């Protein structure tokens, strides 16, 4: 090895050590490559394809807004999109409302073995997603656990039909499936609250309820926002649960997208629907974050 | 103090955490408008006692009475007390103004009056113009002021302060001590102040309760605490002190003849500590600054002969360490720099004469049995 080579290598090494961004990118590079290949490229293809049109078995690659016009014009798409947002919204609200007390309990009233409690709450995740959906089918079904026991007790003449194959069934199943995703961020944000702040609120005249509204809730809001987004965003696009327990009234936009790519074989239409959904979710999420922060002044 | 003078009356209060007696049968009467300090090393129960007054802990036994009302059934949010927390506990999601207004939300006042009161409170702690800031935009001293203003704006009858100056640097702390004292005098509210810093307690307080292991050792004014400590623990905790083992050889009226290890046979006034008997083993305590040092040449003066071991220069004064015959530890003598020492520097190993005024000697019991007897004596004298 020559002297010059050594210096060049030395210089490169020194540059590498000196430059913070270069070292950062070096650390990120494997992930960056996978992201680039696995997300950005397909996304670009998806965007391009959404402006194409399907002609029986071939793509017409001339760019047009045909698919988007159809989404706006045909009521079916709008109905399914709105329903998806409504079901996901209901599911998000239900999950957060159910998860908050659990997280609150562990954060404030459990003093030992908190980790055990957290692990126990994530227990449903230890079984397969499909298995959990089927479990709800058995519970909610026409001859399922609820109907059978209620009829056995004589509380019902004939089985309740709205339980399974309905939007309610989808909301119940999704809520149960995603609960752990809500508990964890809310728990973390509650756990972080300095206990002396709660005592200060009490000292200044707040009873338990006023203290919760005045201090605990606003300070745990980052956790609530994170939990809501973690649930809302993926559930809008869920298609397994509505396909298995939703029935015709509980079908969601993702079921339609799946059909476009499979049976109907209209990939450009599927791509356009996916993108439309993505844009709407992004818009709603941003609006939500903005309002929530305005509402409590926190993080401004 | 007569019982009806007591504004806050802590009556035989104990707090047990499992087997630990954090607060063990404490009774204190605090007057209205008094600046009262609870002083003790960490873990002595002073913060637990304060938290019981605030209502965050409930006593295992005993009762706390404020203005004649027993507090055991009163939740913290209905007590006439407000607290300044050790870490200030300023709400991070609210501005300084809203922090101050937090306690006013449920008082029946309109927005204009609320703003006036917030403005006044900000002025009072010299934070005018800081209303729109948030906790993280303030320095430690400013946060401390916000916490103080937030507690005082409620116009409480009692302000509780849990080591509020602990997190500040020395210079700022000294400034805040002066301000705190001035503020207390101007608002006339009873302050109960918890600290482990004896100097701080001495500077601020009308009276101090020295605590140790959940018990009160002595309740007295700073001056009395310094000059007339009731036992070795208090004497050791407050300022610097020389302790000399001694035994009582003869009692005669208000005076005692003592055989001491180091000072020889001396005579001392017993004062109130007349429960000593002949033959008792006791401790003689002397403050360094109450001792006088002179060269050996001044013959005829009373005192005890010693040998200079070392001297340390402390700026405003010097400490001299003098070896005495029959004593392992050197005696500490404080001398001002402008004294005769300056003209006549004493070298290591040179003979010196240590002398003291009659009232400089404090006689303290040595064994525990006597210590508690002395404590009872003092508390019955005090009330």
């Amino acid at each position: 090895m020559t002297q010059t080579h050594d210096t060049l290598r030395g210089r490169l090494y020194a540059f590498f050590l000196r430059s913070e961004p270069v070292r950062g990118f070096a650390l990120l590079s494997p992930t960056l490559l996978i992201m680039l290949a696995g997300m950005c490229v397909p996304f670009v293809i998806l965007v391009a394809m959404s402006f194409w049109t399907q002609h029986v078995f071939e793509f017409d690659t001339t760019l047009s807004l045909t698919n988007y016009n159809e989404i706006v014009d045909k009521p079916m798409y709008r109905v399914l999109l709105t329903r998806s947002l409504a079901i996901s919204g209901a599911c998000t609200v239900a999950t957060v409302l159910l998860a908050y007390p659990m997280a609150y309990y562990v954060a404030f009233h459990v003093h030992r073995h908190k980790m055990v409690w957290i692990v126990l709450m994530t227990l449903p995740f230890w079984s397969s997603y499909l298995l959990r959906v089927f479990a709800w089918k058995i519970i909610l079904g026409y001859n399922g656990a609820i109907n059978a026991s209620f009829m056995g007790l004589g509380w019902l003449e004939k089985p309740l039909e709205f339980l399974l194959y309905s939007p309610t069934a989808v909301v119940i199943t999704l809520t149960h499936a995603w609960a752990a995703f809500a508990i964890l961020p809310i728990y973390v944000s509650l756990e972080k609250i300095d206990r002396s702040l709660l005592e200060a609120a009490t000292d200044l005249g707040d009873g338990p309820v006023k203290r919760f509204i005045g201090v605990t809730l606003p300070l745990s809001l980052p956790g609530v926002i994170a939990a809501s987004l973690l649930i809302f965003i993926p559930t809008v696009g869920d298609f397994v649960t509505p396909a298995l327990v939703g029935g015709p009234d509980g079908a969601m936009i993702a079921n339609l997208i799946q059909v476009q790519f499979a049976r109907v074989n209209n990939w450009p239409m599927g791509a356009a629907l996916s993108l439309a959904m993505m844009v709407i979710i992004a818009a709603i999420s941003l609006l939500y974050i903005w309002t929530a922060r305005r509402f409590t002044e926190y993080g401004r | 103090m007569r019982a009806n003078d007591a504004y806050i009356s802590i009556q035989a209060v104990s707090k047990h955490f499992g087997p630990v007696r954090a607060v063990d049968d404490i009774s204190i009467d605090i007057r209205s408008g008094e600046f009262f300090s609870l002083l003790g090393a960490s873990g002595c129960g002073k913060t637990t006692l304060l938290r019981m007054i605030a209502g965050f802990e409930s006593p295992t036994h005993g009762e706390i009475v404020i203005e004649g009302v027993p507090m055991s059934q009163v939740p913290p949010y209905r007590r006439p007390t407000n607290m300044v927390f050790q870490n200030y506990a300023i709400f991070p999601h609210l501005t300084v103004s809203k922090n101050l207004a937090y306690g006013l939300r449920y008082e029946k006042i309109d927005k204009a009056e609320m703003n006036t009161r917030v403005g006044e409170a900000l002025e009072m702690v010299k934070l005018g113009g800081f209303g729109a800031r948030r906790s993280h935009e303030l320095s430690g001293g400013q946060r401390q002021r916000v916490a103080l203003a937030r507690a005082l704006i409620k116009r409480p009858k009692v302000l509780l302060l849990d080591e509020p100056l602990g997190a500040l640097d020395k210079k700022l702390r000294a400034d805040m001590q002066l301000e705190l004292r001035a503020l207390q005098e101007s608002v006339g509210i009873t302050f109960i102040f918890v600290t482990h810093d004896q100097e701080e307690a001495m500077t601020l307080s009308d009276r101090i309760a020295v605590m140790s292991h959940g018990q009160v050792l002595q309740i007295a004014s700073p001056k009395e605490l310094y000059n007339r400590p009731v036992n070795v623990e208090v004497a050791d905790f407050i300022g610097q002190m020389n302790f000399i083992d001694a035994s009582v050889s003869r009692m005669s009226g208000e005076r005692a003849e003592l055989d001491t290890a180091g000072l020889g046979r001396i005579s001392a006034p017993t004062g109130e500590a007349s429960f000593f008997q002949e033959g008792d083993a006791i401790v003689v305590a002397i403050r360094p600054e109450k001792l006088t040092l002179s060269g050996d040449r001044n013959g005829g003066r009373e005192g005890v002969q010693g040998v200079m071991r070392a001297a340390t220069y402390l700026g405003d004064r010097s400490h001299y360490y003098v070896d005495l015959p029959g004593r392992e530890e050197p005696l500490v003598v404080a001398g001002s720099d402008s004294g005769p020492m300056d003209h006549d520097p004493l070298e290591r190993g040179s003979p010196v004469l240590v002398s003291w005024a009659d009232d400089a000697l404090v006689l303290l019991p040595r064994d525990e049995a006597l210590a508690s007897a002395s404590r009872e004596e003092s508390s019955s004298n005090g009330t």
Side-chain angles (χ1 to χ4, degrees), chain A residues 133-153 156 158-165:
Chain A
V133 180
F134 274 110
W136 278 109
K137 261 183 113 139
I138 292 165
I139 296 169
L140 301 172
Y142 191 78
N143 291 317
I146 292 179
N147 278 332
S149 47
F150 278 20
M151 279 169 64
L153 287 164
L156 286 175
K158 58 185 185 108
L160 296 170
E161 287 179 23
F162 67 87
L163 280 180
L164 193 60
Y165 303 124

Side-chain angles (χ1 to χ4, degrees), chain A residues 17-37:
Chain A
L17 282 185
R18 232 186 2 254
S19 167
E20 193 83 30
V22 168
R23 270 188 299 160
F25 279 119
L27 270 176
L28 272 176
S29 55
T31 328
L32 270 180
L33 282 175
I34 293 169
M35 291 273 278
L36 209 66

Side-chain angles (χ1 to χ4, degrees), chain A residues 194-208 210-216 218-219 296-300, chain B residues 51 54 56 76-77 81-85 87 89-95 98-99 102-106 134 150-151 154:
Chain A
D194 186 345
R195 298 306 187 261
S196 66
L197 293 175
L198 304 181
E199 287 186 346
T202 308
D203 189 63
L204 292 168
D206 272 1
K210 289 167 180 172
R211 180 183 74 186
F212 177 78
I213 295 165
V215 177
T216 315
L219 287 179
T296 58
E297 302 185 334
Y298 189 63
R300 184 154 51 103
Chain B
R51 290 171 58 80
F56 298 133
Y77 49 92
T81 60
N82 278 114
M83 183 132 155
V84 177
F85 290 82
N87 63 354
I90 296 167
F91 303 123
H93 60 299
L94 300 175
T95 61
K98 294 209 167 150
N99 263 281
Y102 196 91
L104 298 178
R105 288 177 308 164
Y106 305 116
R134 274 162 194 281
R150 188 180 66 180
K154 291 269 289 171

Side-chain angles (χ1 to χ4, degrees), chain B residues 72-334:
Chain B
S72 53
Q73 300 303 317
V74 182
Y77 49 92
R78 296 225 180 84
R79 294 195 181 197
T81 60
N82 278 114
M83 183 132 155
V84 177
F85 290 82
Q86 190 168 14
N87 63 354
Y88 314 138
I90 296 167
F91 303 123
H93 60 299
L94 300 175
T95 61
V96 167
S97 288
K98 294 209 167 150
N99 263 281
L100 262 58
Y102 196 91
L104 298 178
R105 288 177 308 164
Y106 305 116
E107 291 188 16
K108 304 229 167 345
I109 54 175
D110 58 25
K111 194 137 193 154
E113 195 192 337
M114 191 183 272
N115 288 337
T116 319
R117 269 174 75 172
V118 168
E120 278 170 8
L122 282 174
E123 286 301 324
M124 181 179 67
V125 295
K126 296 172 189 152
L127 280 177
F130 282 81
R133 298 227 189 159
R134 274 162 194 281
S135 165
H136 63 87
E137 296 168 323
L138 300 174
S139 71
Q142 288 166 340
R143 275 181 219 172
Q144 203 272 327
R145 287 153 198 263
V146 173
L148 198 60
R150 188 180 66 180
L152 281 173
I153 202 170
K154 291 269 289 171
R155 297 175 182 161
K157 290 172 177 161
V158 184
L159 188 72
L160 308 170
L161 302 106
D162 184 10
E163 306 219 17
L165 308 180
L168 305 181
D169 62 66
K170 204 175 173 193
K171 181 84 178 65
L172 192 57
R173 199 153 75 198
D175 291 347
M176 280 311 295
Q177 284 173 4
L178 285 177
E179 283 185 30
L180 205 57
R181 186 70 231 218
L183 191 69
Q184 195 262 339
E185 275 160 19
S186 72
V187 295
I189 290 171
T190 309
F191 276 35
I192 302 180
F193 188 91
V194 158
T195 182
H196 65 269
D197 184 335
Q198 50 103 4
E199 219 170 300
E200 192 165 276
M202 302 282 277
T203 312
L204 290 168
S205 320
D206 293 319
R207 285 195 305 153
I208 300 169
V210 182
M211 292 179 64
S212 174
H213 298 100
Q215 295 185 319
V216 171
L217 300 178
Q218 185 172 9
I219 302 173
S221 69
K223 215 168 191 172
E224 194 187 338
L225 217 51
Y226 190 80
N227 294 315
R228 294 281 150 214
V230 293
N231 61 29
V232 173
E233 206 175 344
V234 173
D236 198 26
F237 195 71
I238 310 281
Q240 202 168 5
M241 190 67 108
N242 291 299
F243 293 109
I244 298 149
D245 287 339
S247 64
V248 182
S249 63
R250 205 164 67 83
M251 297 287 296
S252 57
E254 292 271 285
R255 296 193 73 81
E257 296 274 319
L258 305 171
D259 279 322
T260 66
L263 301 181
R265 171 170 279 240
I266 58 170
S267 166
T270 54
E272 289 167 7
S274 52
F275 47 85
F276 292 127
Q277 289 168 1
E278 281 172 26
D280 280 352
I282 65 163
V283 174
V284 177
I286 317 172
R287 295 283 177 200
E289 71 276 11
K290 300 241 166 112
L291 290 165
T292 322
L293 216 54
S294 47
D296 199 21
R297 275 148 288 185
N298 311 9
R301 262 185 88 166
E302 278 210 40
V304 63
Q305 298 279 350
V307 177
M308 179 70 97
R309 186 198 279 190
T312 51
Y313 177 64
L314 299 170
D316 53 342
R317 64 193 191 287
S318 293
H319 277 170
Y320 304 97
Y321 298 86
V322 177
D323 280 327
L324 296 177
R327 189 176 149 82
E328 289 264 312
E329 268 182 73
L331 201 65
V332 184
V333 182

